[in-house]
Amino acid sequence: MMLEIYSVLHRYEGTVSRFQIDDKGTVLKIVFGFPMMAHEDDPVRAVHAGIEIRRNLKTMNVQSCIGIATGWTICGLVGNDVRLEYTAVGSSVILATRLMQNANCCVLVNEDTYKTSCGSAVFEKICPIKVKGRDDKIRVYRPVESERRITKKLASVRDSVDILGRDKLIEELRLILQDFLEMRHQLAESTPTHVIVMSGQAGIGKATVLRRFLGFMTDNSNMRIFKSSADAVETKTPFFPWKKVFSDILGVDIKNKASQFTTRACENALGNLLDDKFEKHSVLNDILPTVFPEETGEQRLNAIQRRAKLHELLAAILNAVCAKGPMAIIMHACQFCDNASKDLLRAMMSRCKGFMLVITTRSDSGFSELSDLASENLIMRHFALPPLSQDLSIQLVKKTLGQDLDPAVTDVVMDRTQGIPLYCVEFARLVKDSPTGALSELPDTITGAVLLRIDRLLPAPKLILKIVAVAGRD
């Protein structure tokens, strides 16, 4: 049982802060977001981990009650010379305990957790409950299943309304697509591969621009589009974003575990795509939901040979798809790609022709490590998305609110948002909920981003920051 729990926590990078066994059963206190282990999506990780732990324990016929609460805590050493532990204390910890006590063999979360995780899981709202230590009833929600909403986040958008500060970029992308399709019509699969890299910090609007660009792509009915996204949780999973791409190419469901059924489905699809060039090999098991038997004897390959063989087979698949018509591969959030996926990315760019590759990343360099691949057979374009100007930031806040701003609020827009579109939207919501609070408070999204950067500082810079925070600006 403990192995199942710890395996899930290792994947989502949660920490067991306390473990005890008494007459009521086994109780674990799990913390997401300890200093040096903080993530911008810790509430999401906690919800996904809770769902998986409960599902895994249920298969073992073990009942579990899980409570999850998001909020401020104080982290530090508690105890004495006999027993000393590093833990988190605070009202949110107590609330999580109360939710666990009220959970009837399910997972319960508080409202703050629901707000930050509703885009990554399906929740069921239940009646408010009264818990010990609280005067008022609290709103609680029950997550019923995880939902990786990659397809929704990367859904194409056909909209004539301009995007503030991004109109020139979107028009330039449209022209690049038009040139690619014209070259494709003239040169067929001999068309140079077109690589577009969009970079910028979190919340800068990469996904928004990408959705509009996808809208242009879908207007061409002959163009096949394969979308995928790297995941912060899956940075240690080899080939994670590529698995969805090749599963979609072959028409198999990535959620299905590898079995004889999925192997036959992949085998038939590969046979139709490659004809007599199709080669069964165990290296395909690393990417596809197949169970091809391992080679033995002289046919057995070492690690370097397996890597080269995998790249060769996957390049053959992409080239076969490109030969049938124009194709685009979308790779979102590539800052979370594992090393194997980056290596495969380089291989596909150098071995394949006639397709368009669109990459988004938070990397300031914009995947400059790929620039050495540029040649007459590969055209690369890098677009770094800058923050919005002060005027555009104010316009975005007004547009989100649907009304004019108070002069006092207008003066602090740039100071609070730094021209980041996502922060502008969150700031507008704060203004709507609490006009006076907008002058002294930060939205949770901005606070979380700032705290994440602080938590990841080394001890010396963090100490300086604490001293400056106490001393103040004066």
Side-chain angles (χ1 to χ4, degrees):
M1 179 183 74
M2 295 306 301
L3 286 176
E4 289 288 341
I5 295 175
Y6 273 93
S7 64
V8 173
L9 294 182
H10 175 73
R11 181 182 173 210
Y12 290 97
E13 298 186 353
T15 305
V16 176
S17 175
R18 183 174 299 171
F19 171 76
Q20 66 183 48
I21 301 177
D22 53 24
D23 57 332
K24 297 180 181 179
T26 303
V27 180
L28 284 84
K29 175 182 174 183
I30 300 170
V31 179
F32 288 82
F34 267 145
M36 303 307 293
M37 290 191 67
H39 310 85
E40 61 189 2
D41 59 345
D42 278 316
V44 176
R45 289 170 180 259
V47 170
H48 284 300
I51 293 173
E52 287 194 26
I53 289 173
R54 180 178 177 275
R55 182 171 59 241
N56 294 348
L57 293 181
K58 188 176 181 180
T59 60
M60 302 170 62
N61 294 321
V62 177
Q63 293 184 345
S64 59
C65 302
I66 301 175
I68 303 174
T70 300
W72 294 92
T73 63
I74 298 174
C75 301
L77 295 172
V78 177
N80 51 34
D81 295 339
V82 178
R83 180 179 177 180
L84 191 66
E85 65 175 345
Y86 188 89
T87 188
V89 296
S91 59
S92 59
V93 179
I94 299 173
L95 178 57
T97 304
R98 303 302 182 213
L99 292 176
M100 178 198 69
Q101 294 170 346
N102 283 271
N104 184 19
C105 296
C106 68
V107 182
L108 291 183
V109 307
N110 69 336
E111 188 170 19
D112 289 339
T113 305
Y114 164 75
K115 288 180 178 179
T116 52
S117 307
C118 58
S120 299
V122 178
F123 287 86
E124 179 184 7
K125 186 177 181 180
I126 61 178
C127 297
I129 61 174
K130 185 76 170 62
V131 298
K132 183 179 179 181
R134 296 289 183 100
D135 295 332
D136 300 328
K137 291 184 177 181
I138 62 171
R139 297 177 181 177
V140 293
Y141 301 82
R142 179 167 55 206
V144 292
E145 62 176 314
S146 301
E147 186 178 34
R148 304 286 187 185
R149 297 190 179 182
I150 295 174
T151 53
K152 182 176 180 179
K153 191 170 185 178
L154 298 183
S156 59
V157 174
R158 295 189 182 96
D159 196 345
S160 59
V161 179
D162 295 335
I163 300 177
L164 288 175
R166 307 293 184 227
D167 303 333
K168 292 182 179 179
L169 172 58
I170 292 173
E171 178 61 20
E172 191 168 353
L173 291 173
R174 187 188 67 80
L175 293 176
I176 292 174
L177 176 62
Q178 182 177 327
D179 291 341
F180 169 75
L181 293 174
E182 290 177 357
M183 293 178 68
R184 176 73 199 195
H185 179 70
Q186 297 172 1
L187 304 176
E189 60 266 27
S190 297
T191 303
T193 296
H194 284 55
V195 179
I196 297 174
V197 180
M198 288 188 284
S199 65
Q201 58 183 297
I204 201 68
K206 300 183 294 296
T208 302
V209 174
L210 182 58
R211 285 196 296 268
R212 183 65 63 86
F213 189 35
L214 282 169
F216 297 142
M217 289 185 181
T218 53
D219 288 338
N220 189 305
S221 58
N222 296 325
M223 192 169 195
R224 299 187 66 185
I225 305 171
F226 302 101
K227 299 178 286 187
S228 184
S229 177
D231 194 311
V233 176
E234 305 292 350
T235 54
K236 299 176 183 178
T237 303
F239 307 112
F240 176 77
W242 284 104
K243 290 180 179 180
K244 185 176 188 305
V245 171
F246 284 98
S247 294
D248 288 348
I249 288 175
L250 300 182
V252 295
D253 192 347
I254 193 176
K255 296 179 182 178
N256 293 334
K257 291 185 178 180
S259 63
Q260 293 297 331
F261 174 78
T262 59
T263 301
R264 285 195 300 271
C266 291
E267 213 173 322
N268 293 334
L270 289 171
N272 294 332
L273 186 63
L274 301 175
D275 298 325
D276 56 342
K277 296 180 181 179
F278 170 48
E279 178 184 356
K280 295 181 185 179
H281 204 286
S282 62
V283 294
L284 291 174
N285 299 339
D286 297 339
I287 291 279
L288 302 175
T290 56
V291 286
F292 293 130
E294 294 286 338
E295 291 71 28
T296 58
E298 295 181 356
Q299 294 183 339
R300 189 175 182 85
L301 306 179
N302 59 35
I304 297 176
Q305 292 171 329
R306 285 182 64 87
R307 169 178 165 272
K309 187 66 176 178
L310 178 62
H311 291 178
E312 176 190 338
L313 296 177
L314 296 180
I317 294 174
L318 283 189
N319 283 324
V321 177
C322 290
K324 294 180 179 296
M327 177 187 72
I329 295 178
I330 313 299
M331 286 278 187
H332 184 54
C334 283
Q335 70 274 4
F336 298 126
C337 277
D338 57 281
N339 290 332
S341 294
K342 292 180 181 179
D343 190 35
L344 181 57
L345 183 64
R346 288 183 61 89
M348 296 302 100
M349 288 172 60
S350 59
R351 289 171 176 257
C352 303
K353 292 182 181 180
F355 75 103
M356 174 172 281
L357 175 64
V358 183
I359 298 171
T360 66
T361 177
R362 294 182 189 174
S363 172
D364 295 332
S365 62
F367 268 51
S368 59
E369 60 268 28
L370 302 175
S371 59
D372 62 300
L373 297 176
S375 64
E376 60 181 9
N377 293 323
L378 193 148
I379 302 173
M380 288 190 65
R381 298 292 302 273
H382 174 214
F383 299 96
L385 276 67
L388 300 178
S389 65
Q390 182 173 355
D391 291 340
L392 289 175
S393 299
I394 294 173
Q395 287 183 42
L396 182 55
V397 173
K398 289 181 178 179
K399 182 179 178 181
T400 306
L401 275 176
Q403 62 186 41
D404 290 333
L405 295 176
D406 185 272
V409 176
T410 303
D411 294 338
V412 299
V413 167
M414 200 63 185
D415 184 48
R416 296 288 179 180
T417 66
Q418 299 300 309
I420 308 300
L422 174 64
Y423 296 172
C424 291
V425 174
E426 293 295 325
F427 180 79
R429 291 172 180 168
L430 181 60
V431 172
K432 185 176 181 180
D433 296 338
S434 176
T436 56
L439 302 177
S440 58
E441 301 174 11
L442 283 174
D444 292 339
T445 307
I446 304 178
T447 303
V450 173
L451 290 178
L452 174 64
R453 296 175 66 179
I454 294 175
D455 284 339
R456 291 188 174 179
L457 289 175
L458 295 175
K462 188 182 294 185
L463 177 60
I464 295 174
L465 189 60
K466 290 180 179 179
I467 295 172
V468 172
V470 173
R473 294 185 177 181
D474 299 332

PDB file of all heavy atoms in Angstrom, residues 58-86:
ATOM      1  N   LYS A  58      -8.062   1.561  -4.203  1.00  0.00           N
ATOM      2  CA  LYS A  58      -9.337   0.872  -4.401  1.00  0.00           C
ATOM      3  C   LYS A  58      -9.132  -0.473  -5.093  1.00  0.00           C
ATOM      4  O   LYS A  58      -9.826  -1.459  -4.792  1.00  0.00           O
ATOM      5  CB  LYS A  58     -10.274   1.756  -5.227  1.00  0.00           C
ATOM      6  CG  LYS A  58     -11.700   1.224  -5.336  1.00  0.00           C
ATOM      7  CD  LYS A  58     -12.581   2.208  -6.077  1.00  0.00           C
ATOM      8  CE  LYS A  58     -14.018   1.682  -6.167  1.00  0.00           C
ATOM      9  NZ  LYS A  58     -14.900   2.645  -6.901  1.00  0.00           N
ATOM     10  N   THR A  59      -8.170  -0.529  -6.027  1.00  0.00           N
ATOM     11  CA  THR A  59      -7.880  -1.806  -6.691  1.00  0.00           C
ATOM     12  C   THR A  59      -7.303  -2.832  -5.728  1.00  0.00           C
ATOM     13  O   THR A  59      -7.353  -4.037  -5.979  1.00  0.00           O
ATOM     14  CB  THR A  59      -6.894  -1.588  -7.844  1.00  0.00           C
ATOM     15  OG1 THR A  59      -5.672  -1.041  -7.332  1.00  0.00           O
ATOM     16  CG2 THR A  59      -7.483  -0.638  -8.885  1.00  0.00           C
ATOM     17  N   MET A  60      -6.756  -2.338  -4.599  1.00  0.00           N
ATOM     18  CA  MET A  60      -6.199  -3.232  -3.570  1.00  0.00           C
ATOM     19  C   MET A  60      -7.212  -3.510  -2.464  1.00  0.00           C
ATOM     20  O   MET A  60      -6.864  -4.062  -1.426  1.00  0.00           O
ATOM     21  CB  MET A  60      -4.941  -2.602  -2.969  1.00  0.00           C
ATOM     22  CG  MET A  60      -3.848  -2.289  -3.991  1.00  0.00           C
ATOM     23  SD  MET A  60      -2.507  -1.285  -3.290  1.00  0.00           S
ATOM     24  CE  MET A  60      -1.898  -2.397  -2.029  1.00  0.00           C
ATOM     25  N   ASN A  61      -8.486  -3.055  -2.682  1.00  0.00           N
ATOM     26  CA  ASN A  61      -9.558  -3.215  -1.683  1.00  0.00           C
ATOM     27  C   ASN A  61      -9.223  -2.505  -0.378  1.00  0.00           C
ATOM     28  O   ASN A  61      -9.535  -2.989   0.714  1.00  0.00           O
ATOM     29  CB  ASN A  61      -9.828  -4.701  -1.417  1.00  0.00           C
ATOM     30  CG  ASN A  61     -10.396  -5.400  -2.639  1.00  0.00           C
ATOM     31  OD1 ASN A  61     -11.217  -4.840  -3.360  1.00  0.00           O
ATOM     32  ND2 ASN A  61      -9.957  -6.637  -2.881  1.00  0.00           N
ATOM     33  N   VAL A  62      -8.587  -1.330  -0.499  1.00  0.00           N
ATOM     34  CA  VAL A  62      -8.260  -0.505   0.669  1.00  0.00           C
ATOM     35  C   VAL A  62      -9.074   0.776   0.585  1.00  0.00           C
ATOM     36  O   VAL A  62      -9.020   1.497  -0.409  1.00  0.00           O
ATOM     37  CB  VAL A  62      -6.754  -0.170   0.715  1.00  0.00           C
ATOM     38  CG1 VAL A  62      -6.459   0.759   1.893  1.00  0.00           C
ATOM     39  CG2 VAL A  62      -5.924  -1.437   0.818  1.00  0.00           C
ATOM     40  N   GLN A  63      -9.855   1.041   1.628  1.00  0.00           N
ATOM     41  CA  GLN A  63     -10.659   2.254   1.657  1.00  0.00           C
ATOM     42  C   GLN A  63      -9.772   3.443   2.029  1.00  0.00           C
ATOM     43  O   GLN A  63      -8.872   3.334   2.858  1.00  0.00           O
ATOM     44  CB  GLN A  63     -11.791   2.127   2.667  1.00  0.00           C
ATOM     45  CG  GLN A  63     -12.843   1.086   2.288  1.00  0.00           C
ATOM     46  CD  GLN A  63     -13.999   1.060   3.264  1.00  0.00           C
ATOM     47  OE1 GLN A  63     -13.917   1.607   4.358  1.00  0.00           O
ATOM     48  NE2 GLN A  63     -15.088   0.431   2.871  1.00  0.00           N
ATOM     49  N   SER A  64     -10.062   4.593   1.420  1.00  0.00           N
ATOM     50  CA  SER A  64      -9.261   5.790   1.691  1.00  0.00           C
ATOM     51  C   SER A  64     -10.151   7.021   1.718  1.00  0.00           C
ATOM     52  O   SER A  64     -11.111   7.132   0.954  1.00  0.00           O
ATOM     53  CB  SER A  64      -8.168   5.959   0.632  1.00  0.00           C
ATOM     54  OG  SER A  64      -8.730   6.074  -0.664  1.00  0.00           O
ATOM     55  N   CYS A  65      -9.828   7.946   2.599  1.00  0.00           N
ATOM     56  CA  CYS A  65     -10.506   9.242   2.697  1.00  0.00           C
ATOM     57  C   CYS A  65      -9.439  10.320   2.574  1.00  0.00           C
ATOM     58  O   CYS A  65      -8.457  10.318   3.332  1.00  0.00           O
ATOM     59  CB  CYS A  65     -11.236   9.379   4.030  1.00  0.00           C
ATOM     60  SG  CYS A  65     -12.471   8.093   4.329  1.00  0.00           S
ATOM     61  N   ILE A  66      -9.624  11.232   1.628  1.00  0.00           N
ATOM     62  CA  ILE A  66      -8.586  12.219   1.328  1.00  0.00           C
ATOM     63  C   ILE A  66      -9.181  13.621   1.391  1.00  0.00           C
ATOM     64  O   ILE A  66     -10.225  13.887   0.786  1.00  0.00           O
ATOM     65  CB  ILE A  66      -7.973  11.969  -0.056  1.00  0.00           C
ATOM     66  CG1 ILE A  66      -7.356  10.564  -0.118  1.00  0.00           C
ATOM     67  CG2 ILE A  66      -6.921  13.019  -0.399  1.00  0.00           C
ATOM     68  CD1 ILE A  66      -6.840  10.176  -1.494  1.00  0.00           C
ATOM     69  N   GLY A  67      -8.522  14.507   2.109  1.00  0.00           N
ATOM     70  CA  GLY A  67      -8.913  15.910   2.172  1.00  0.00           C
ATOM     71  C   GLY A  67      -7.788  16.780   1.647  1.00  0.00           C
ATOM     72  O   GLY A  67      -6.626  16.578   2.005  1.00  0.00           O
ATOM     73  N   ILE A  68      -8.128  17.745   0.779  1.00  0.00           N
ATOM     74  CA  ILE A  68      -7.127  18.623   0.176  1.00  0.00           C
ATOM     75  C   ILE A  68      -7.558  20.069   0.382  1.00  0.00           C
ATOM     76  O   ILE A  68      -8.691  20.443   0.069  1.00  0.00           O
ATOM     77  CB  ILE A  68      -6.972  18.348  -1.334  1.00  0.00           C
ATOM     78  CG1 ILE A  68      -6.598  16.887  -1.578  1.00  0.00           C
ATOM     79  CG2 ILE A  68      -5.937  19.278  -1.953  1.00  0.00           C
ATOM     80  CD1 ILE A  68      -6.565  16.504  -3.056  1.00  0.00           C
ATOM     81  N   ALA A  69      -6.648  20.887   0.909  1.00  0.00           N
ATOM     82  CA  ALA A  69      -6.924  22.303   1.126  1.00  0.00           C
ATOM     83  C   ALA A  69      -5.733  23.124   0.636  1.00  0.00           C
ATOM     84  O   ALA A  69      -4.580  22.731   0.820  1.00  0.00           O
ATOM     85  CB  ALA A  69      -7.194  22.593   2.602  1.00  0.00           C
ATOM     86  N   THR A  70      -6.024  24.243   0.011  1.00  0.00           N
ATOM     87  CA  THR A  70      -4.989  25.154  -0.473  1.00  0.00           C
ATOM     88  C   THR A  70      -5.030  26.427   0.343  1.00  0.00           C
ATOM     89  O   THR A  70      -6.097  26.983   0.595  1.00  0.00           O
ATOM     90  CB  THR A  70      -5.230  25.490  -1.958  1.00  0.00           C
ATOM     91  OG1 THR A  70      -5.191  24.284  -2.719  1.00  0.00           O
ATOM     92  CG2 THR A  70      -4.177  26.442  -2.476  1.00  0.00           C
ATOM     93  N   GLY A  71      -3.874  26.894   0.758  1.00  0.00           N
ATOM     94  CA  GLY A  71      -3.820  28.115   1.552  1.00  0.00           C
ATOM     95  C   GLY A  71      -2.424  28.379   2.078  1.00  0.00           C
ATOM     96  O   GLY A  71      -1.462  27.678   1.749  1.00  0.00           O
ATOM     97  N   TRP A  72      -2.320  29.398   2.915  1.00  0.00           N
ATOM     98  CA  TRP A  72      -1.033  29.788   3.478  1.00  0.00           C
ATOM     99  C   TRP A  72      -0.666  28.890   4.650  1.00  0.00           C
ATOM    100  O   TRP A  72      -1.514  28.528   5.464  1.00  0.00           O
ATOM    101  CB  TRP A  72      -1.082  31.241   3.952  1.00  0.00           C
ATOM    102  CG  TRP A  72      -1.254  32.231   2.848  1.00  0.00           C
ATOM    103  CD1 TRP A  72      -2.426  32.732   2.370  1.00  0.00           C
ATOM    104  CD2 TRP A  72      -0.229  32.823   2.068  1.00  0.00           C
ATOM    105  NE1 TRP A  72      -2.196  33.614   1.342  1.00  0.00           N
ATOM    106  CE2 TRP A  72      -0.849  33.696   1.133  1.00  0.00           C
ATOM    107  CE3 TRP A  72       1.170  32.724   2.057  1.00  0.00           C
ATOM    108  CZ2 TRP A  72      -0.120  34.437   0.218  1.00  0.00           C
ATOM    109  CZ3 TRP A  72       1.882  33.479   1.137  1.00  0.00           C
ATOM    110  CH2 TRP A  72       1.240  34.311   0.232  1.00  0.00           C
ATOM    111  N   THR A  73       0.589  28.543   4.717  1.00  0.00           N
ATOM    112  CA  THR A  73       1.096  27.770   5.852  1.00  0.00           C
ATOM    113  C   THR A  73       2.449  28.327   6.278  1.00  0.00           C
ATOM    114  O   THR A  73       3.111  29.047   5.524  1.00  0.00           O
ATOM    115  CB  THR A  73       1.276  26.275   5.505  1.00  0.00           C
ATOM    116  OG1 THR A  73       2.265  26.147   4.484  1.00  0.00           O
ATOM    117  CG2 THR A  73      -0.030  25.652   5.059  1.00  0.00           C
ATOM    118  N   ILE A  74       2.846  27.971   7.489  1.00  0.00           N
ATOM    119  CA  ILE A  74       4.176  28.306   7.992  1.00  0.00           C
ATOM    120  C   ILE A  74       4.992  27.025   7.989  1.00  0.00           C
ATOM    121  O   ILE A  74       4.592  26.019   8.586  1.00  0.00           O
ATOM    122  CB  ILE A  74       4.109  28.898   9.413  1.00  0.00           C
ATOM    123  CG1 ILE A  74       3.296  30.195   9.397  1.00  0.00           C
ATOM    124  CG2 ILE A  74       5.511  29.149   9.958  1.00  0.00           C
ATOM    125  CD1 ILE A  74       3.053  30.782  10.762  1.00  0.00           C
ATOM    126  N   CYS A  75       6.121  27.037   7.287  1.00  0.00           N
ATOM    127  CA  CYS A  75       6.970  25.855   7.178  1.00  0.00           C
ATOM    128  C   CYS A  75       8.225  26.053   8.025  1.00  0.00           C
ATOM    129  O   CYS A  75       8.855  27.113   7.983  1.00  0.00           O
ATOM    130  CB  CYS A  75       7.363  25.597   5.720  1.00  0.00           C
ATOM    131  SG  CYS A  75       5.970  25.357   4.604  1.00  0.00           S
ATOM    132  N   GLY A  76       8.573  25.045   8.779  1.00  0.00           N
ATOM    133  CA  GLY A  76       9.776  25.135   9.603  1.00  0.00           C
ATOM    134  C   GLY A  76       9.946  23.919  10.480  1.00  0.00           C
ATOM    135  O   GLY A  76       9.174  22.958  10.414  1.00  0.00           O
ATOM    136  N   LEU A  77      10.964  23.962  11.315  1.00  0.00           N
ATOM    137  CA  LEU A  77      11.265  22.871  12.233  1.00  0.00           C
ATOM    138  C   LEU A  77      10.389  22.968  13.467  1.00  0.00           C
ATOM    139  O   LEU A  77      10.250  24.042  14.070  1.00  0.00           O
ATOM    140  CB  LEU A  77      12.747  22.900  12.624  1.00  0.00           C
ATOM    141  CG  LEU A  77      13.740  22.634  11.483  1.00  0.00           C
ATOM    142  CD1 LEU A  77      15.169  22.890  11.958  1.00  0.00           C
ATOM    143  CD2 LEU A  77      13.596  21.213  10.972  1.00  0.00           C
ATOM    144  N   VAL A  78       9.808  21.840  13.855  1.00  0.00           N
ATOM    145  CA  VAL A  78       8.950  21.766  15.036  1.00  0.00           C
ATOM    146  C   VAL A  78       9.426  20.609  15.903  1.00  0.00           C
ATOM    147  O   VAL A  78       9.681  19.506  15.394  1.00  0.00           O
ATOM    148  CB  VAL A  78       7.473  21.544  14.626  1.00  0.00           C
ATOM    149  CG1 VAL A  78       6.593  21.387  15.868  1.00  0.00           C
ATOM    150  CG2 VAL A  78       6.975  22.695  13.767  1.00  0.00           C
ATOM    151  N   GLY A  79       9.558  20.849  17.188  1.00  0.00           N
ATOM    152  CA  GLY A  79       9.952  19.771  18.092  1.00  0.00           C
ATOM    153  C   GLY A  79      11.067  20.192  19.037  1.00  0.00           C
ATOM    154  O   GLY A  79      11.285  21.389  19.288  1.00  0.00           O
ATOM    155  N   ASN A  80      11.790  19.191  19.529  1.00  0.00           N
ATOM    156  CA  ASN A  80      12.881  19.440  20.474  1.00  0.00           C
ATOM    157  C   ASN A  80      14.063  18.533  20.138  1.00  0.00           C
ATOM    158  O   ASN A  80      14.116  17.945  19.055  1.00  0.00           O
ATOM    159  CB  ASN A  80      12.401  19.217  21.908  1.00  0.00           C
ATOM    160  CG  ASN A  80      11.712  17.865  22.063  1.00  0.00           C
ATOM    161  OD1 ASN A  80      12.083  16.885  21.412  1.00  0.00           O
ATOM    162  ND2 ASN A  80      10.679  17.819  22.907  1.00  0.00           N
ATOM    163  N   ASP A  81      14.979  18.406  21.077  1.00  0.00           N
ATOM    164  CA  ASP A  81      16.171  17.591  20.833  1.00  0.00           C
ATOM    165  C   ASP A  81      15.841  16.112  20.688  1.00  0.00           C
ATOM    166  O   ASP A  81      16.581  15.363  20.043  1.00  0.00           O
ATOM    167  CB  ASP A  81      17.187  17.776  21.972  1.00  0.00           C
ATOM    168  CG  ASP A  81      17.723  19.199  22.026  1.00  0.00           C
ATOM    169  OD1 ASP A  81      17.628  19.879  20.987  1.00  0.00           O
ATOM    170  OD2 ASP A  81      18.214  19.621  23.077  1.00  0.00           O
ATOM    171  N   VAL A  82      14.732  15.689  21.278  1.00  0.00           N
ATOM    172  CA  VAL A  82      14.366  14.277  21.200  1.00  0.00           C
ATOM    173  C   VAL A  82      13.730  13.961  19.853  1.00  0.00           C
ATOM    174  O   VAL A  82      14.068  12.964  19.205  1.00  0.00           O
ATOM    175  CB  VAL A  82      13.402  13.900  22.345  1.00  0.00           C
ATOM    176  CG1 VAL A  82      12.974  12.444  22.230  1.00  0.00           C
ATOM    177  CG2 VAL A  82      14.053  14.171  23.690  1.00  0.00           C
ATOM    178  N   ARG A  83      12.821  14.807  19.423  1.00  0.00           N
ATOM    179  CA  ARG A  83      12.153  14.606  18.137  1.00  0.00           C
ATOM    180  C   ARG A  83      11.986  15.939  17.438  1.00  0.00           C
ATOM    181  O   ARG A  83      11.391  16.869  17.977  1.00  0.00           O
ATOM    182  CB  ARG A  83      10.794  13.943  18.325  1.00  0.00           C
ATOM    183  CG  ARG A  83      10.064  13.718  17.002  1.00  0.00           C
ATOM    184  CD  ARG A  83       8.727  13.044  17.202  1.00  0.00           C
ATOM    185  NE  ARG A  83       8.016  12.910  15.940  1.00  0.00           N
ATOM    186  CZ  ARG A  83       6.818  12.357  15.803  1.00  0.00           C
ATOM    187  NH1 ARG A  83       6.195  11.881  16.881  1.00  0.00           N
ATOM    188  NH2 ARG A  83       6.248  12.277  14.631  1.00  0.00           N
ATOM    189  N   LEU A  84      12.534  16.027  16.240  1.00  0.00           N
ATOM    190  CA  LEU A  84      12.498  17.264  15.471  1.00  0.00           C
ATOM    191  C   LEU A  84      12.054  16.940  14.042  1.00  0.00           C
ATOM    192  O   LEU A  84      12.568  16.000  13.436  1.00  0.00           O
ATOM    193  CB  LEU A  84      13.886  17.913  15.453  1.00  0.00           C
ATOM    194  CG  LEU A  84      13.980  19.349  14.920  1.00  0.00           C
ATOM    195  CD1 LEU A  84      13.242  20.301  15.855  1.00  0.00           C
ATOM    196  CD2 LEU A  84      15.443  19.769  14.796  1.00  0.00           C
ATOM    197  N   GLU A  85      11.105  17.691  13.542  1.00  0.00           N
ATOM    198  CA  GLU A  85      10.622  17.444  12.188  1.00  0.00           C
ATOM    199  C   GLU A  85      10.371  18.755  11.467  1.00  0.00           C
ATOM    200  O   GLU A  85      10.047  19.766  12.090  1.00  0.00           O
ATOM    201  CB  GLU A  85       9.337  16.611  12.196  1.00  0.00           C
ATOM    202  CG  GLU A  85       8.154  17.303  12.838  1.00  0.00           C
ATOM    203  CD  GLU A  85       6.867  16.492  12.731  1.00  0.00           C
ATOM    204  OE1 GLU A  85       6.833  15.550  11.922  1.00  0.00           O
ATOM    205  OE2 GLU A  85       5.903  16.814  13.448  1.00  0.00           O
ATOM    206  N   TYR A  86      10.563  18.708  10.156  1.00  0.00           N
ATOM    207  CA  TYR A  86      10.247  19.852   9.306  1.00  0.00           C
ATOM    208  C   TYR A  86       8.830  19.650   8.786  1.00  0.00           C
ATOM    209  O   TYR A  86       8.527  18.631   8.162  1.00  0.00           O
ATOM    210  CB  TYR A  86      11.222  19.943   8.134  1.00  0.00           C
ATOM    211  CG  TYR A  86      11.063  21.204   7.318  1.00  0.00           C
ATOM    212  CD1 TYR A  86      11.755  22.364   7.634  1.00  0.00           C
ATOM    213  CD2 TYR A  86      10.195  21.244   6.225  1.00  0.00           C
ATOM    214  CE1 TYR A  86      11.614  23.517   6.896  1.00  0.00           C
ATOM    215  CE2 TYR A  86      10.036  22.395   5.472  1.00  0.00           C
ATOM    216  CZ  TYR A  86      10.749  23.531   5.812  1.00  0.00           C
ATOM    217  OH  TYR A  86      10.593  24.677   5.084  1.00  0.00           O
TER     218      TYR A  86
END
